[in-house]
Amino acid sequence: MKYYKLLLLVLIITSCATPHTYLDETGKEISVKKSAVFENRGNWVFLDQNRNQIPEEEFQEKWRNKENNLVRHDYIATDTGRVATLKEPIYSRYTVSYYQIVTKLKELTGKSFPDNSIFIIAYTYRNDLCSPESSNFKSKGKIASRKKSLEPFIEKIQNNNKEVVILIFYEDGISLANSPNSPEEYFYIDKGKFLRNNLFLTSTFCGSYAIIRPNGQTLVRNGEAPIRHIEQHLKPENWDQFFPPSE
């Protein structure tokens, strides 16, 4: 038993010390030690929404105060290593062509949807540094693990809202070991980046969500959030704050 524990410790240390390939903000490959990306916070660079360097404490305060309407995006820079930036906004609202969106979703998923469907889409961006496990390759094991954590909440949401369709999309450029021909599948690649270019415009730490209603009203929520929190936006008293009935 001691041997296996020692072996595991050696593997963890080796993994952190071995250079890994990441992509910088321009898409260029950079070889960086994993520990430098996720552990050595003292070497990270923190930028405010005006791209001015600030202390981490100030960065955290600005980011976590939701009244500031700021989200976070991290990337690797060739000269400085990991950079954490603040961006606007947390929420964006649009009025879209529901027909065009549904037509594209049918193309991307190979599925048909009822005419009154309300879509909740979770979107993961390429090169996301959300956690040490983040990568541009999503194996069957990683997909199964995420589904296991999501499905109890998805079942409750769809029991409460029969018209809701939940889809999980990954930006084109991420390798996804999904099962696209399975009727049970709901994990897909945004091939051609239609969703990225039309809805998910702000690359964000830990992804974004969109809610799309049949009348075209669309709310995008950037940044990490539990899917059960996203469901709360469907309540009329919450939705009307973003789309007042008088408009």
Side-chain angles (χ1 to χ4, degrees):
M1 181 64 72
K2 289 183 179 179
Y3 169 78
Y4 289 115
K5 287 182 178 179
L6 179 60
L7 178 61
L8 179 59
L9 180 60
V10 170
L11 289 173
I12 293 172
I13 293 173
T14 302
S15 174
C16 291
T18 302
H20 290 249
T21 299
Y22 297 93
L23 299 180
D24 68 9
E25 203 171 24
T26 67
K28 179 183 176 182
E29 290 189 353
I30 303 176
S31 184
V32 185
K33 289 181 180 179
K34 196 170 185 179
S35 60
V37 176
F38 291 100
E39 296 176 14
N40 300 335
R41 299 178 67 91
N43 296 327
W44 295 9
V45 174
F46 296 90
L47 303 178
D48 67 12
Q49 64 272 31
N50 299 313
R51 297 196 66 81
N52 297 317
Q53 188 167 347
I54 57 176
E56 180 180 3
E57 294 77 11
E58 184 179 348
F59 178 94
Q60 294 286 349
E61 183 179 349
K62 285 177 175 286
W63 175 39
R64 297 186 185 282
N65 184 348
K66 298 308 178 186
E67 291 184 3
N68 290 330
N69 195 33
L70 297 172
V71 293
R72 173 175 173 173
H73 172 58
D74 290 26
Y75 63 93
I76 307 299
T78 306
D79 53 346
T80 60
R82 181 159 176 167
V83 179
T85 66
L86 293 174
K87 293 182 175 183
E88 295 179 324
I90 296 176
Y91 287 101
S92 296
R93 62 174 201 157
Y94 309 102
T95 299
V96 303
S97 166
Y98 183 77
Y99 173 80
Q100 183 183 20
I101 294 290
V102 173
T103 299
K104 196 63 182 182
L105 291 177
K106 288 179 179 178
E107 178 186 323
L108 291 169
T109 65
K111 293 182 176 180
S112 296
F113 306 102
D115 292 339
N116 65 336
S117 295
I118 296 174
F119 293 95
I120 296 179
I121 299 175
Y123 198 91
T124 297
Y125 300 93
R126 191 172 178 231
N127 309 327
D128 189 13
L129 298 177
C130 185
S131 81
E133 303 304 316
S134 300
S135 76
N136 287 328
F137 174 70
K138 307 299 180 184
S139 65
K140 287 188 178 295
K142 285 184 178 180
I143 293 171
S145 177
R146 190 174 183 195
K147 285 181 176 179
K148 184 177 180 180
S149 65
L150 283 174
E151 284 175 355
F153 301 106
I154 288 176
E155 183 177 357
K156 288 181 180 179
I157 291 170
Q158 293 181 325
N159 283 339
N160 293 335
N161 307 273
K162 301 299 183 183
E163 67 277 21
V164 166
V165 174
I166 296 175
L167 300 170
I168 313 297
F169 272 95
Y170 293 83
E171 185 177 355
D172 202 353
I174 294 175
S175 177
L176 185 69
N178 63 340
S179 302
N181 296 323
S182 169
E184 305 295 322
E185 189 59 272
Y186 57 100
F187 278 50
Y188 299 98
I189 291 291
D190 178 23
K191 293 179 182 178
K193 297 190 179 184
F194 174 85
L195 298 175
R196 179 73 170 90
N197 293 331
N198 290 278
L199 292 179
F200 300 103
L201 305 179
T202 304
S203 201
T204 309
F205 191 65
C206 299
S208 300
Y209 285 92
I211 301 174
I212 307 166
R213 288 183 172 272
N215 62 1
Q217 290 179 345
T218 298
L219 184 67
V220 174
R221 201 283 189 189
N222 292 314
E224 184 176 21
I227 196 167
R228 62 182 181 276
H229 170 76
I230 301 303
E231 179 200 15
Q232 298 304 308
H233 294 74
L234 293 172
K235 293 182 177 180
E237 62 268 27
N238 295 328
W239 190 262
D240 289 351
Q241 292 184 45
F242 296 97
F243 295 94
S246 58
E247 286 188 354

